[in-house]
Amino acid sequence: MEVFYERGCKLFFKKHKNEQKLIKKLIEQAIVKELATGMSKVKVAAPTRIEGKAIYEFRLNLKTAGSARIAFAVKNEQVLVLLITSNLQKDSFSRELETSLKGSNYTFNSRSTTPE
């Protein structure tokens, strides 16, 4: 499974620069686990779709980086992580996600880059 981190993750990674590898590992493990177990902790995050695929979100404890909400979409063997935020309140998270999605043309076939 390939996991790509979009620009909505950049600010979170910048804030937790020293923990970036651990954060990515935890997110990837959690997404793989959720996909394998029927996504019981996952909810639809926004009415917007990417290439017809729903955008999902869930909360995750990222150890020393604290709890975060992760928004992602899945198609075949590709995962696009669209947003990582420490904003845990659902309504403000949804607004932040919608702002992040506005004007963006995310695709699964693009070679997304990991923010540094």
Side-chain angles (χ1 to χ4, degrees):
M1 177 156 302
E2 287 183 287
V3 179
F4 300 104
Y5 294 86
E6 296 294 343
R7 71 171 192 246
C9 305
K10 190 174 184 176
L11 186 62
F12 192 85
F13 282 136
K14 187 176 181 180
K15 186 186 284 187
H16 301 284
K17 192 175 277 186
N18 297 334
E19 301 152 310
Q20 188 170 345
K21 281 185 182 178
L22 174 64
I23 290 168
K24 287 181 180 181
K25 180 182 170 192
L26 291 170
I27 290 171
E28 290 166 21
Q29 287 175 344
I31 290 173
V32 167
K33 179 181 176 187
E34 287 300 320
L35 290 171
T37 60
M39 301 208 316
S40 60
K41 293 183 179 180
V42 173
K43 299 173 187 164
V44 174
T48 306
R49 292 181 169 265
I50 297 173
E51 294 181 14
K53 301 297 179 183
I55 298 171
Y56 299 102
E57 64 93 3
F58 65 103
R59 287 175 64 162
L60 182 63
N61 184 342
L62 297 172
K63 309 273 183 199
T64 56
S67 291
R69 279 194 188 263
I70 317 298
F72 68 100
V74 180
K75 182 179 181 183
N76 302 326
E77 292 295 310
Q78 287 188 335
V79 176
L80 295 180
V81 179
L82 304 167
L83 179 66
I84 307 169
T85 181
S86 53
N87 189 352
L88 300 177
Q89 193 173 24
K90 177 67 172 149
D91 60 339
S92 52
F93 165 79
S94 295
R95 281 193 303 273
E96 187 175 345
L97 177 60
E98 287 298 327
T99 301
S100 172
L101 293 172
K102 275 186 183 163
S104 300
N105 291 329
Y106 294 115
T107 62
F108 285 96
N109 297 330
S110 68
R111 298 303 295 165
S112 302
T113 57
T114 304
E116 295 297 326

